[in-house]
Amino acid sequence: EAQVTQNPRYLITVTGKKLTVTCSQNMNHEYMSWYRQDPGLGLRQIYYSMNVEVTDKGDVPEGYKVSRKEKRNFPLILESPSPNQTSLYFCAANGGGLLMPMDQPQHFGDGTRLSIL
Amino acid sequence: QKEVEQDPGPLSVPEGAIVSLNCTYSNSAFQYFMWYRQYSRKGPELLMYTYSSGNKEDGRFTAQVDKSSKYISLFIRDSQPSDSATYLCAMRDSSYKLIFGSGTRLLVRP
């Protein structure tokens, strides 16, 4: 079964305490991405990765880091979290290549709800 | 102004009704258009994907793209209570950045 697994699912933490949200996929997909979802704003892309060691900024990358050392994992790092990063975060993966990546269904994880006090 | 506008709803319809969900956009470079369904406490799932203008049908779902009007639609025929969810449109140009609408909440009443 195609799966994108995020951990943790819920986290309450404090300002400035570094945290990492892990994302793992079992489909051998090249393309992975991170989104945050906020009421009234919908899903906004934070970072994406087209393959191992290839990452690029999405629409709202400030305050976040990512790495892609292996194909299956794409962790999201908040070096110094702030309350405005309180949100619902989704990781997604999809296959395909450079020509038509969206031909393959995009699989989302079930989300990580982060609260930063 | 947002690049993609979507009425948040909620849209409440009786079971069996035809549902019409819509998005407008401002960027004429968008060429890939998607509809996602998101149930409560779950990630979005891809429903329909359309490249450029035209219609695409998949079972009870039909996606329409009118690039001249910068308007896309998702029609759901014979709506079921299990269709109750939030529907998100998304689109992108030749880059890999996806722009989502804020979602329309749909409630199908038994």
Side-chain angles (χ1 to χ4, degrees):
Chain A
E1 182 193 348
Q3 264 190 326
V4 177
T5 304
Q6 296 177 227
N7 279 297
R9 293 292 313 279
Y10 304 91
L11 178 64
I12 300 174
T13 187
V14 296
T15 299
K17 186 176 181 183
K18 179 179 178 180
L19 67 92
T20 299
V21 184
T22 63
C23 175
S24 180
Q25 51 112 346
N26 66 355
M27 298 160 283
N28 204 37
H29 284 339
E30 290 89 3
Y31 183 89
M32 297 185 74
S33 51
W34 275 102
Y35 298 85
R36 59 179 289 174
Q37 187 173 35
D38 301 288
L41 296 176
L43 279 158
R44 292 178 294 168
Q45 194 175 56
I46 303 170
Y47 268 96
Y48 62 93
S49 169
M50 289 184 282
N51 215 323
V52 175
E53 302 292 2
V54 182
T55 63
D56 207 349
K57 296 176 181 178
D59 285 321
V60 288
E62 294 78 21
Y64 304 94
K65 284 175 59 177
V66 293
S67 70
R68 189 89 182 274
K69 292 185 168 50
E70 33 180 2
K71 191 181 260 190
R72 63 180 288 123
N73 294 323
F74 190 43
L76 179 70
I77 303 154
L78 285 70
E79 293 269 5
S80 183
S82 62
N84 64 11
Q85 292 177 299
T86 293
S87 188
L88 179 58
Y89 291 85
F90 288 100
C91 179
N94 64 303
L98 290 174
L99 291 179
M100 196 73 86
M102 296 308 293
D103 265 350
Q104 304 281 340
Q106 184 156 202
H107 301 276
F108 280 83
D110 281 338
T112 295
R113 187 166 289 283
L114 278 184
S115 293
I116 299 161
L117 307 175
Chain B
Q1 184 191 5
K2 291 181 186 175
E3 277 192 283
V4 178
E5 298 277 0
Q6 188 174 8
D7 189 322
L11 177 63
S12 181
V13 300
E15 184 174 353
I18 296 175
V19 175
S20 172
L21 302 163
N22 311 295
C23 286
T24 58
Y25 63 93
S26 56
N27 187 346
S28 57
F30 288 146
Q31 22 181 331
Y32 301 91
F33 303 92
M34 280 117 331
W35 285 97
Y36 291 82
R37 177 175 62 196
Q38 185 176 19
Y39 292 115
S40 181
R41 301 183 195 279
K42 303 290 281 185
E45 54 179 320
L46 184 64
L47 274 180
M48 301 286 285
Y49 156 59
T50 311
Y51 172 66
S52 196
S53 283
N55 293 2
K56 187 173 186 177
E57 191 173 317
D58 184 1
R60 296 184 297 112
F61 298 90
T62 299
Q64 279 187 356
V65 174
D66 182 349
K67 290 189 74 179
S68 61
S69 302
K70 297 192 183 71
Y71 189 88
I72 69 170
S73 301
L74 177 70
F75 297 96
I76 307 175
R77 289 184 300 281
D78 187 26
S79 55
Q80 304 294 309
S82 57
D83 294 328
S84 297
T86 296
Y87 289 80
L88 303 155
C89 65
M91 48 199 79
R92 70 174 184 92
D93 53 22
S94 55
S95 74
Y96 290 88
K97 293 184 185 179
L98 258 188
I99 307 295
F100 280 83
S102 53
T104 298
R105 196 153 64 91
L106 171 67
L107 175 63
V108 181
R109 308 185 306 271

